[in-house]
Amino acid sequence: MSRKLLIIVAGVTVLTGASGAAAIFVGRDVLLGPSTETVSGTACTTVTTVRLDRDGQHWLRKYVRSDAKDGEVRIKTALRVAGAVSNAEEADLYQVIMLDAAGPVYRADMRGRAIGAEVLFARDPSAIPGMSAPFVARYTDGKPAGNGEFYGERKELSLDEIKTIVTAMTEREDCIDPNAVAEADKSGGHGDAKTEEGGHEAPADGHASADKADEGSHEVASSGH
């Protein structure tokens, strides 16, 4: 082995022996692989799930919370949850709306700037008014304000970007549903997992539209009307 090669090998050994230095010079992903948060989003909690019947179609709208401060992490989380829900329940349209942990409590307020990320999925988009592709995925860039509202730039992913994210995911878990856990505890595991936020909210109406502040062809897919 040449002297030059020995010096290079010795340098790599020193770097890998000190994890902090190695992470700086080589990169965390190279040494440890991409983090779960980066690839599959992050942990989230279910707020409520609304099931609507529209002209013979079944639409499922799920509101979730996360303390993710990065917009890309939020949209990856919403995509992961949309996939998990579509695998667990049959619907013509699936919609996941992600709120900040400090966001609104009442469903009527979960719209406009309260939305940090949103995903729409339909196996047959031609059957859904306003949809031309199976997925719509958009998020607000930047960190949320103290009240949980988002004021950054609105970004929409291309289908290629969505495919890349979904294909790379290593985890496919849904959000934690505290209401379902509570019901299971009360009934010994036989409780109904439907989650109409404490049972006090009426079904979604026009005031709960996820796209009120979002002009475009997808508004009908988010509207309670």
Side-chain angles (χ1 to χ4, degrees), residues 176-194:
I176 296 171
D177 189 344
N179 293 329
V181 172
E183 287 295 325
D185 290 341
K186 289 179 182 179
S187 60
H190 301 292
D192 188 352
K194 292 185 179 180

Side-chain angles (χ1 to χ4, degrees), residues 1 10 25 37 45-46 65 67 77 92 103 137 144 152 161 173 184 192 206 211 224:
M1 184 180 294
F25 288 97
E37 181 177 272
T45 302
T46 296
R65 292 190 190 281
D67 62 359
T77 305
D92 296 286
E161 289 173 321
E173 286 80 6
D192 188 352
D211 283 342

Side-chain angles (χ1 to χ4, degrees), residues 109-120:
D109 299 323
M110 296 176 184
R111 51 180 176 158
R113 295 193 184 280
I115 299 175
E118 178 182 18
V119 169
L120 293 153

